Amino acid sequence: MITIDGTNLSTAELLRIANGEKVQLSAVASQKMDKNHGSIPTDIDILSQKRRWMLGESANASEFSTQDFILAHCAGVGDLLSDQVVRAAMAARCNVLAQGHSGCRSVVAEALIHDLNANILAKVPSQGSVGAAGDLAPMAHIARTLCGLDGIERNRTPLTPEPKEALALINGVSMSTAIAALTIEKAWTIFEAFIWATAGSMEVILAQSQCIDPSVLAIRGFPEPAEIGAVLRQILVDSKRVQSNRRPDAFSIRSGPSVIGTALRSLRQTHHVIYEELNGCSDNPLCINGQWLEAGHFHGAAISTAMDQLRVSLAQLGSLSERRTFRLTHGQLSEALPSFLIEGTGLNSGFMLAQYTAAALSSEMKGLAHPASVDSIPTVQHHEDHVSMAPIAARLTSESTTCLADIVAIELLLMAQGLDLRQQQDRKLHPVALSKIHAAIRTDVPFWSDDHVLHPCISKIHNHIQCQTFSWPIPRLFPNQ
Amino acid sequence: MFSPLSLDGQSLCLNELVQVARQQLPVHLSPDAKKSMQHSYQWVRDSANLDMPIYGVNTGFGSLARVRIHREQSALLSKNLIRSHAAGVGPIASRDICRATMLLRANALAKGVSGCRPLLVETLLQYLNVDFYPHIPMKGSCGSSGDLAPLAHLGLVLIGDPEGTAEFNGQILPADQALQLAGLSPIHLEAKDGLAITNGAQLSTAISALACHDAKELVLAAEIAAALSFEALLGVSRAIHPSVHRLRPYKGSLACARNLRALLEGSDYIDSVPEKVQDAYSLRCTPQVIGASRDTISFAAHQIHIELNAATDNPLILMDENTDNHAYSAGMFHGEPVGMAADCMKIAIAEIASLSERRLYRLTNGNLSQRLPPGLIGSDRPVLGMMVPQTTAAALVSENKALGWPASMDSIPTCEDQEDHIAMSTVAARRCTQVLHNAQRVIAIELMSAAHALNLRKESQPTKKLGAGTEQALLNVRQCLRACGPHATIGDQIEQLRTGICNRSIFAGLPTLTPVERHA
């Protein structure tokens, strides 16, 4: 059970709610919401006012209901969001309302929570929002179901929203933030597996250990490379193969701490931004001291930029892993392992195509890295003339994590094969930590003594990554947070 | 309906590909093609007596061409290729893409230069004719040498490997069981069969070809939407006058202006604001912008047409050459022409949508719409009119930009540096399709909004005549939207109109429009 109170909802908790855990509203937040609601100015017709600002003073006045207002925003198109994302978006919105500045009754938050706990979820098209003012269309599709406007009979009384409540349900970047939160959680899981792949490739390729020497990393200037080096040293502490007295490695090995450390900082920065957005007040107008104040808090610039930055870092990790995979499959670069990590090379092609797949995915990640947040198109008679494109940034980053998971799965597959081949050659024991990972992989994927079908091997290891078989307790916050 | 297609490796056109892929047109192998297949196959069999390396027959693959394989192991070599190369990931190709892929591979083999049995082609055509649907993952291919991994997944099904997956009569099964269910036999591979199945950019071409067909349709839909907007915004017709366009004679802009004139003929709304000398660019420059897109799509169609009937295998068995060794190694599988064409087509499609969205902005902006109500509010849509769909269109146009990186520009070395320049044509084709689908929705929104705007005009000026084509287009839009249920959202209506573009119902009864041609 997770308690929402508007102040410290973490991405990990949001993921748990997205995966089905039950939710409740804190009593303090409930009181805060009702007190705030009791203070809203009673002489202002919020929706008509907003409509006048959007359409201009010359627009004919029109009688319309709050329900009509919600339906007028249901212009989402394209593939549907997953149930997991819809749940996360509902919880994220609830957390904003629970902060008690939106002029809503606590029953609005309770309605979202009821539907979460009963798994009553809207079908929400994924496209149509520009991330300012908020994620209007997708959140309106959620509000449509919440308020019983989708024509489906259900065994509960739907919410009848007051005017401001209809607006408050939709006027923030909760969908983009939800996708961002689920994506950063995925990214961390894959990052941890990446660390294992890094250590494993170093072991297989007989890397030189100087690049992870603590005295060297201490003077790099950034703390993160030293952190990464420390983790790799722990995994390789009893390695008989990674030694100081080897010749220096190619950059894909030797610059590992620098590249991976940079990505680590980027993940933490992104994570922090998402946490702040989750617990910030992405709504408008806000009721403060009995007055409506108009601001631009629905603008998703923070999420948009953070997601774009993360996507660049993920592309760098993909590129690094793919180059290590290239070396592992290359007979002249792998320190005397057979080409494509298979005996009987020629009749067998071994893992040749595994590297192609990694290359194709790495290329996809590059293409996807184009920043969505730098674009803006004016809408609503030029009133909404600068927008964030946060949902596009978030969705592209989510897709990018899937590519990276496959790239890392491929490297882990090659690492396991490489460890077996190396052991056949040198009869040395693997480091204990790596041998456990190797054993986990071997429960599902056999050693290839001749050609097998690659596809199921990749997807099995991809599943292991998702199930956090390859985890390492890397702190996700900056040291002083 | 249509007579069955006779596949001969030389004369397949885009329309026929679409009919096979989407409308179940039956296909058979032409007798002449069968003969030339037999001829090159016989040479590959006889080459067992020749002591020389023939790539993929008695050598390994890629950089492993340096390794000689005993001829007795040729069949195993083919099988290992299919199995080890099935390295695809991600979503499965849709039924029409899969069908187009199978047809294209069959057509390439029907040229008779691949050294394989007619049985391979006959089996693929059987799959098409009984609607047997192999599952092909779409990610992981570099487009060179061809779409190895995706076609290897097709190969798994052809040989009945249980690691392959296929769908028949609504059931998704391992390949061996699926073949049994469909009453089909697996193929036992012989020398060179592995390469014959996998060596070409057929998935990239299938995706690009279907996208090209749909892009040509989109151009016409965009011109209809533009005509409706032009009329609703009381446009100035001198911008589409033929004498003007003859002076900057891009084929595409001439055609677009011609279509706009045909659709708007007789309209009382055009030229009805005497003090307005010229419109904003999103109206006035429609022929130039859509024209540039038309010409680019024509270029892509030209390239794709060549690829439809190309030999993409390696090595090619050229029986007409006067030599003992008929096996010619070349780079025919490289997907660069297809990838580059797909990237260019993607830009063209994105621009069509970008222009459309700007007209939408004008329609919904009370300061710019020639006295239409702001947001196009009216009795039909009293609250916010068509304001929110314009935001939807903006989101789609922006997403197209984010997808705009030209995939064919990237290359990453593979295969121990032997395959050191790659096309990424599959990614290019897939992104083009994504952009196309977004653009279809933008045009659907413009159709909806412009029709709505014209209805508002008609309400206030009921005696004025509409254009010859726009009047019918209005009816088509209304008819299309009737299929929406009582609880349909605006989003559902947009999707319904997108369906109307795809199934051509919005084109019904219109004056003849100049299509997008393939450049000669």
Side-chain angles (χ1 to χ4, degrees):
Chain A
M1 172 70 75
I2 291 170
T3 304
I4 286 184
D5 67 7
T7 67
N8 61 356
L9 184 65
S10 71
T11 57
E13 285 169 328
L14 197 72
L15 177 60
R16 282 158 56 192
I17 298 172
N19 286 337
E21 191 162 330
K22 300 260 189 256
V23 194
Q24 66 185 3
L25 185 67
S26 85
V28 168
S30 181
Q31 281 157 25
K32 204 168 173 221
M33 285 183 77
D34 288 327
K35 186 169 176 211
N36 182 254
H37 173 260
S39 74
I40 66 175
T42 48
D43 54 343
I44 295 172
D45 182 345
I46 278 282
L47 295 185
S48 293
Q49 184 184 71
K50 177 155 173 61
R51 180 176 176 273
R52 266 204 316 281
W53 289 337
M54 283 172 74
L55 297 174
E57 296 296 333
S58 65
N60 291 338
S62 177
E63 285 289 314
F64 60 91
S65 64
T66 55
Q67 285 84 354
D68 289 336
F69 185 80
I70 291 170
L71 291 173
H73 284 84
C74 289
V77 296
D79 293 339
L80 297 177
L81 295 171
S82 68
D83 283 352
Q84 196 198 39
V85 167
V86 173
R87 289 181 62 84
M90 290 165 72
R93 197 75 204 137
C94 190
N95 201 52
V96 169
L97 302 181
Q99 289 163 36
H101 304 300
S102 299
C104 296
R105 299 164 291 160
S106 61
V107 296
V108 180
E110 295 288 6
L112 282 165
I113 285 170
H114 174 276
D115 279 10
L116 275 169
N117 292 338
N119 211 39
I120 296 172
L121 306 175
K123 299 274 172 247
V124 183
S126 57
Q127 292 172 293
S129 163
V130 293
D135 292 315
L136 288 172
M139 297 312 294
H141 283 265
I142 289 175
R144 175 175 172 258
T145 291
L146 191 74
C147 302
L149 305 172
D150 57 3
I152 298 175
E153 284 296 319
R154 293 189 179 89
N155 198 8
R156 58 100 161 100
T157 312
L159 174 73
T160 307
E162 292 180 359
K164 176 59 167 77
E165 291 168 351
L167 184 58
L169 281 169
I170 68 177
N171 214 13
V173 281
S174 295
M175 184 204 78
S176 302
T177 309
I179 296 176
L182 297 179
T183 299
I184 191 67
E185 287 287 323
K186 255 199 299 183
W188 278 121
T189 301
I190 300 166
F191 185 78
E192 292 175 13
F194 188 96
I195 296 293
W196 284 105
T198 303
S201 285
M202 288 179 75
E203 177 77 8
V204 172
I205 213 93
L206 310 178
Q208 190 203 62
S209 59
Q210 290 175 31
C211 67
I212 54 173
D213 186 299
S215 57
V216 143
L217 292 172
I219 58 174
R220 181 64 185 85
F222 309 105
E224 291 86 9
E227 265 192 84
I228 297 297
V231 172
L232 293 172
R233 283 197 308 277
Q234 265 190 283
I235 295 174
L236 296 167
V237 64
D238 52 340
S239 169
K240 308 279 186 289
R241 300 185 178 107
V242 177
Q243 304 291 326
S244 177
N245 62 343
R246 301 203 179 281
R247 88 194 150 147
D249 289 288
F251 289 11
S252 60
I253 301 289
R254 189 151 37 110
S255 303
S258 284
V259 177
I260 305 169
T262 303
L264 175 58
R265 174 175 282 201
S266 184
L267 262 90
R268 284 177 174 154
Q269 254 165 341
T270 307
H271 195 151
H272 193 67
V273 168
I274 297 169
Y275 176 79
E276 288 179 312
E277 181 68 78
L278 262 181
N279 295 291
C281 203
S282 179
D283 192 12
N284 189 66
L286 303 168
C287 181
I288 297 177
N289 295 330
Q291 277 190 75
W292 290 122
L293 295 182
E294 297 280 343
H297 291 5
F298 41 57
H299 199 291
I303 290 290
S304 205
T305 309
M307 284 285 102
D308 282 342
Q309 181 191 328
L310 178 64
R311 202 158 68 252
V312 166
S313 291
L314 295 177
Q316 289 176 13
L317 291 177
S319 166
L320 187 66
S321 171
E322 187 278 328
R323 284 292 90 191
R324 294 191 306 233
T325 285
F326 180 79
R327 297 193 83 78
L328 289 175
T329 55
H330 198 310
Q332 288 166 357
L333 302 175
S334 62
E335 299 293 325
L337 290 174
S339 289
F340 308 113
L341 299 179
I342 197 92
E343 308 288 17
T345 327
L347 184 60
N348 294 313
S349 301
F351 294 89
M352 183 190 290
L353 267 272
Q355 187 262 323
Y356 283 42
T357 299
L361 293 171
S362 178
S363 184
E364 278 208 47
M365 292 183 79
K366 278 188 226 179
L368 290 173
H370 176 105
S373 64
V374 301
D375 189 37
S376 182
I377 297 179
T379 63
V380 188
Q381 301 193 115
H382 218 263
H383 186 70
E384 308 193 358
D385 62 344
H386 187 275
V387 296
S388 73
M389 305 306 178
I392 296 168
R395 278 172 31 238
L396 290 177
T397 310
S398 180
E399 193 181 327
S400 215
T401 60
T402 305
C403 292
L404 184 62
D406 276 323
I407 292 173
V408 176
I410 286 166
E411 191 181 3
L412 287 167
L413 180 67
L414 267 53
M415 176 203 82
Q417 179 85 359
L419 284 173
D420 285 323
L421 287 169
R422 198 55 90 189
Q423 195 167 67
Q424 286 171 20
Q425 256 182 18
D426 64 13
R427 300 271 157 236
K428 290 181 179 166
L429 290 174
H430 307 315
V432 167
L434 272 183
S435 64
K436 291 204 180 98
I437 295 296
H438 175 268
I441 292 171
R442 286 282 171 258
T443 58
D444 276 328
V445 177
F447 173 76
W448 281 29
S449 46
D450 46 31
D451 276 351
H452 291 233
V453 181
L454 259 173
H455 171 85
C457 301
I458 300 171
S459 69
K460 285 188 178 122
I461 300 183
H462 184 134
N463 287 342
H464 270 288
I465 293 176
Q466 277 181 316
C467 299
Q468 301 185 281
T469 304
F470 316 109
S471 64
W472 187 275
I474 295 178
R476 297 182 177 188
L477 299 173
F478 284 110
N480 52 6
Q481 277 174 349
Chain B
M1 212 185 39
F2 297 104
S3 53
L5 179 65
S6 179
L7 203 69
D8 62 11
Q10 296 178 40
S11 57
L12 182 65
C13 72
L14 187 56
N15 283 341
E16 288 165 337
L17 178 124
V18 174
Q19 281 164 22
V20 174
R22 292 178 173 164
Q23 290 151 32
Q24 315 282 92
L25 179 69
V27 200
H28 64 77
L29 178 62
S30 97
D32 283 344
K34 187 167 176 171
K35 276 203 207 101
S36 45
M37 287 188 77
Q38 278 289 142
H39 193 33
S40 67
Y41 165 64
Q42 196 57 48
W43 182 80
V44 171
R45 283 194 74 135
D46 294 342
S47 70
N49 303 320
L50 300 167
D51 179 33
M52 65 186 167
I54 303 172
Y55 177 71
V57 174
N58 58 8
T59 75
F61 302 105
S63 59
L64 300 179
R66 62 183 185 255
V67 180
R68 285 291 288 270
I69 309 294
H70 290 300
R71 195 54 196 251
E72 308 85 69
Q73 296 191 300
S74 271
L76 177 58
L77 184 67
S78 276
K79 186 173 172 187
N80 281 350
L81 178 83
I82 297 292
R83 299 187 81 235
S84 69
H85 282 39
V89 295
I92 303 296
S94 59
R95 188 183 292 264
D96 59 347
I97 290 173
C98 173
R99 290 177 63 82
T101 302
M102 292 195 290
L103 179 70
L104 288 170
R105 192 80 208 129
N107 199 45
L109 296 178
K111 292 185 83 71
V113 293
S114 292
C116 67
R117 293 159 289 163
L119 175 67
L120 260 63
V121 170
E122 281 160 350
T123 305
L124 287 170
L125 300 187
Q126 232 189 337
Y127 286 8
L128 287 170
N129 293 335
V130 305
D131 201 15
F132 187 76
Y133 172 18
H135 279 197
I136 298 174
M138 281 205 288
K139 283 164 74 166
S141 172
C142 298
S144 8
S145 44
D147 287 311
L148 285 175
L151 291 171
H153 280 267
L154 174 61
L156 285 180
V157 175
L158 283 167
I159 66 175
D161 191 310
E163 300 282 14
T165 307
E167 190 171 330
F168 183 71
N169 273 351
Q171 290 191 63
I172 300 170
L173 294 165
D176 53 341
Q177 294 175 39
L179 287 174
Q180 220 175 1
L181 180 66
L184 299 164
S185 304
I187 290 180
H188 296 289
L189 297 174
E190 294 185 9
K192 198 170 187 304
D193 279 346
L195 283 174
I197 292 166
T198 59
N199 223 2
Q202 272 73 33
L203 177 63
S204 307
T205 310
I207 298 172
S208 301
L210 291 172
C212 185
H213 172 266
D214 294 342
K216 292 187 196 177
E217 296 279 277
L218 181 73
V219 164
L220 298 177
E223 286 165 353
I224 297 167
L228 288 170
S229 293
F230 203 90
E231 192 166 31
L233 291 169
L234 313 179
V236 179
S237 72
R238 287 202 156 180
I240 57 176
H241 195 284
S243 305
V244 150
H245 284 279
R246 278 198 282 272
L247 298 170
R248 193 183 187 210
Y250 292 106
K251 210 165 157 181
S253 58
L254 286 165
C256 177
R258 191 179 312 131
N259 283 352
L260 291 175
R261 289 195 302 273
L263 289 163
L264 291 165
E265 172 148 2
S267 166
D268 288 335
Y269 293 97
I270 300 300
D271 299 326
S272 63
V273 184
E275 59 273 22
K276 181 167 63 154
V277 284
Q278 58 191 18
D279 286 298
Y281 287 11
S282 60
L283 271 74
R284 185 158 37 115
C285 304
T286 295
Q288 285 76 11
V289 175
I290 294 188
S293 293
R294 271 175 167 263
D295 290 338
T296 304
I297 295 167
S298 289
F299 155 73
H302 177 75
Q303 300 294 83
I304 289 166
H305 184 87
I306 293 173
E307 188 71 13
L308 292 188
N309 296 290
T312 64
D313 209 339
N314 184 58
L316 295 174
I317 313 300
L318 303 183
M319 299 308 297
D320 291 340
E321 295 298 315
N322 188 9
T323 167
D324 285 338
N325 180 6
H326 290 282
Y328 282 71
S329 269
M332 310 292 267
F333 42 68
H334 201 288
E336 191 75 32
V338 178
M340 204 183 283
D343 278 333
C344 292
M345 198 165 41
K346 181 175 73 178
I347 295 172
I349 293 167
E351 282 296 88
I352 292 172
S354 169
L355 183 72
S356 167
E357 186 276 332
R358 287 290 86 198
R359 286 190 300 259
L360 266 169
Y361 175 78
R362 298 194 84 78
L363 283 169
T364 55
N365 189 329
N367 298 323
L368 304 172
S369 61
Q370 298 291 143
R371 295 199 228 296
L372 285 168
L376 298 179
I377 50 171
S379 51
D380 255 6
R381 296 185 192 275
V383 187
L384 293 174
M386 296 301 295
M387 197 68 93
V388 183
Q390 189 253 325
T391 300
T392 302
L396 294 166
V397 167
S398 187
E399 186 174 312
N400 283 350
K401 291 183 216 177
L403 296 172
W405 160 259
S408 63
M409 279 182 72
D410 191 35
S411 184
I412 297 177
T414 63
C415 201
E416 292 184 318
D417 280 324
Q418 170 76 354
E419 309 195 358
D420 59 348
H421 182 276
I422 54 185
M424 299 303 181
S425 53
T426 351
V427 179
R430 281 169 44 226
R431 293 286 176 250
C432 180
T433 301
Q434 270 178 281
V435 166
L436 170 79
H437 291 172
N438 289 343
Q440 287 170 333
R441 290 172 171 113
V442 173
I443 300 303
I445 295 170
E446 189 185 2
L447 283 170
M448 193 156 94
S449 308
H452 186 66
L454 266 183
N455 284 328
L456 290 171
R457 287 278 184 223
K458 274 171 49 176
E459 270 173 37
S460 60
Q461 296 170 296
T463 55
K464 284 198 171 177
K465 259 179 22 210
L466 288 165
T470 48
E471 176 158 40
Q472 181 64 40
L474 262 193
L475 293 173
N476 293 346
V477 168
R478 182 177 309 145
Q479 181 68 18
C480 186
L481 289 175
R482 280 214 183 95
C484 290
H487 293 287
T489 60
I490 302 173
D492 292 329
Q493 292 174 330
I494 296 166
E495 294 291 0
Q496 188 63 40
L497 274 168
R498 178 179 173 236
T499 302
I501 294 172
C502 294
N503 68 17
R504 309 200 96 246
S505 64
I506 60 142
F507 298 120
L510 292 179
T512 308
L513 298 176
T514 306
V516 178
E517 301 285 6
R518 169 168 60 87
H519 283 322

